[in-house]
Amino acid sequence: MPVLKVFIVDDEAPARSELRYLLEQFPEVSVIGEASSGEEAIDSVLQIEPDAVFLDIHLQDRDGVDVGQELLESMVNPPVIIFASAYEIHAVRAFETDAIDYIVKPFSELRLEKTMNRVRKMLRANEAPVATAPQLEEQLQTILQNVLADQQPRRVPVEKQGKIMLIDPNDIVYATLEGRYASIYTGNEQYATSFSLQELESRLSPKQFFRTHRAYIVNLSKTAELVPWFKGSIHLIMQDCRRTEIPVSRNVVKELKKRLGF
């Protein structure tokens, strides 16, 4: 079986580690490099010429779509480009760059399998992923359906004692902002992340999680009690070992009660 050389571009170390782990489950895949910025990605990809590049759209130094476009225009035999983002709205721009696929963070094993099947098929055909307008529209409709199916995350990358771990969102009781980054609390553990609270919120299912306060997100299924508080506000008692009390801003009390069935 021929080796499929893959390169990963993402400015978030946990996301790179998560994707590397999932890709290395495919026996023919060899992850030959990583980059944390657009400029680093261009220099490395031009030099080592991978077969496929997983490219995050949101990079700190450059727009990921522009990076992908530059790679396609600069190389005689450009790699297959697969764009990644936490937001499905960027799929249209990704396909305007002739990307072969577009996947939503955090990555699911099933969705990645579909992507790798596309990559194998494209490489076997040994042709650039150029599409006519009707073909592009058909591809776009397919990928948008896949994106919508992938909106609920399977795992969330977190850090503890120098290790990167992947946890099930269902195990999260609440998350809070501690310094610049969000910390995640499960029933009896605390984990650090490299996400802002807003970034973490975008990764969690809006049906299951609720932003009660500028500094808190709670798992609605892990709520134990609702306690009236000062001047119309309320607090939530969570189902963790500490019975943590979470403040709820007055402006979201009505919506929260509705979500909880009050």
Side-chain angles (χ1 to χ4, degrees):
M1 183 180 296
V3 174
L4 199 162
K5 298 180 294 183
V6 174
F7 193 89
I8 299 172
V9 185
D10 198 302
D11 55 12
E12 297 178 348
R16 293 198 306 272
S17 297
E18 178 188 13
L19 183 53
R20 175 184 279 271
Y21 171 80
L22 292 174
L23 287 170
E24 288 177 343
Q25 306 312 300
F26 297 92
E28 79 278 21
V29 169
S30 175
V31 179
I32 61 173
E34 299 180 5
S36 60
S37 70
E39 290 301 322
E40 181 187 358
I42 291 172
D43 291 342
S44 298
V45 170
L46 291 177
Q47 181 177 353
I48 65 179
E49 297 185 341
D51 299 311
V53 175
F54 283 78
L55 178 56
D56 185 51
I57 284 182
H58 297 281
L59 298 171
Q60 291 185 358
D61 64 332
R62 293 192 56 177
D63 182 283
V65 174
D66 292 341
V67 172
Q69 187 67 52
E70 184 169 338
L71 290 174
L72 292 175
E73 293 174 352
S74 302
M75 303 178 69
V76 176
N77 296 307
V80 170
I81 302 290
I82 304 100
F83 283 108
S85 175
Y87 306 98
E88 72 277 2
I89 59 174
H90 298 292
V92 175
R93 290 188 62 222
F95 268 77
E96 287 174 349
T97 314
D98 289 333
I100 187 177
D101 210 343
Y102 177 96
I103 56 177
V104 172
K105 298 179 182 180
F107 315 109
S108 77
E109 293 89 339
L110 180 60
R111 182 66 182 86
L112 197 58
E113 174 66 43
K114 293 178 181 178
T115 294
M116 295 309 298
N117 286 337
R118 290 188 178 193
V119 172
R120 296 185 194 101
K121 188 179 298 183
M122 183 63 66
L123 293 175
R124 281 199 301 268
N126 194 28
E127 60 185 30
V130 177
T132 64
Q135 288 172 333
L136 184 61
E137 183 177 357
E138 182 179 351
Q139 286 179 334
L140 183 58
Q141 289 299 322
T142 299
I143 192 61
L144 286 176
Q145 291 174 6
N146 290 333
V147 165
L148 290 173
D150 285 342
Q151 280 185 317
Q152 184 167 349
R154 273 64 175 180
R155 294 182 297 179
V156 177
V158 297
E159 301 171 24
K160 190 173 182 67
Q161 297 178 343
K163 296 181 180 180
I164 296 174
M165 306 170 64
L166 302 173
I167 65 172
D168 188 331
N170 293 319
D171 293 334
I172 298 173
V173 176
Y174 70 95
T176 185
L177 191 61
E178 297 182 353
R180 293 178 56 192
Y181 302 109
S183 288
I184 286 175
Y185 289 81
T186 60
N188 52 18
E189 295 285 350
Q190 175 188 358
Y191 300 96
T193 79
S194 60
F195 308 124
S196 69
L197 202 62
Q198 183 175 355
E199 289 170 336
L200 179 62
E201 184 180 18
S202 71
R203 289 170 169 264
L204 300 173
S205 168
K207 294 181 179 180
Q208 184 177 359
F209 291 86
F210 188 84
R211 184 77 169 264
T212 64
H213 184 275
R214 61 178 180 79
Y216 288 93
I217 299 170
V218 302
N219 184 342
L220 295 175
S221 66
K222 303 289 188 180
T223 302
E225 298 178 27
L226 187 153
V227 181
W229 205 247
F230 184 65
K231 290 188 176 179
S233 65
I234 60 175
H235 280 194
L236 296 177
I237 306 298
M238 305 306 296
Q239 295 177 8
D240 58 338
C241 64
R242 299 165 297 276
R243 300 278 293 178
T244 303
E245 194 166 322
I246 303 292
V248 180
S249 298
R250 286 195 299 273
N251 61 327
V252 299
V253 168
K254 184 176 180 180
E255 176 62 21
L256 176 63
K257 288 182 175 180
K258 181 179 178 181
R259 294 282 300 276
L260 292 174
F262 285 82

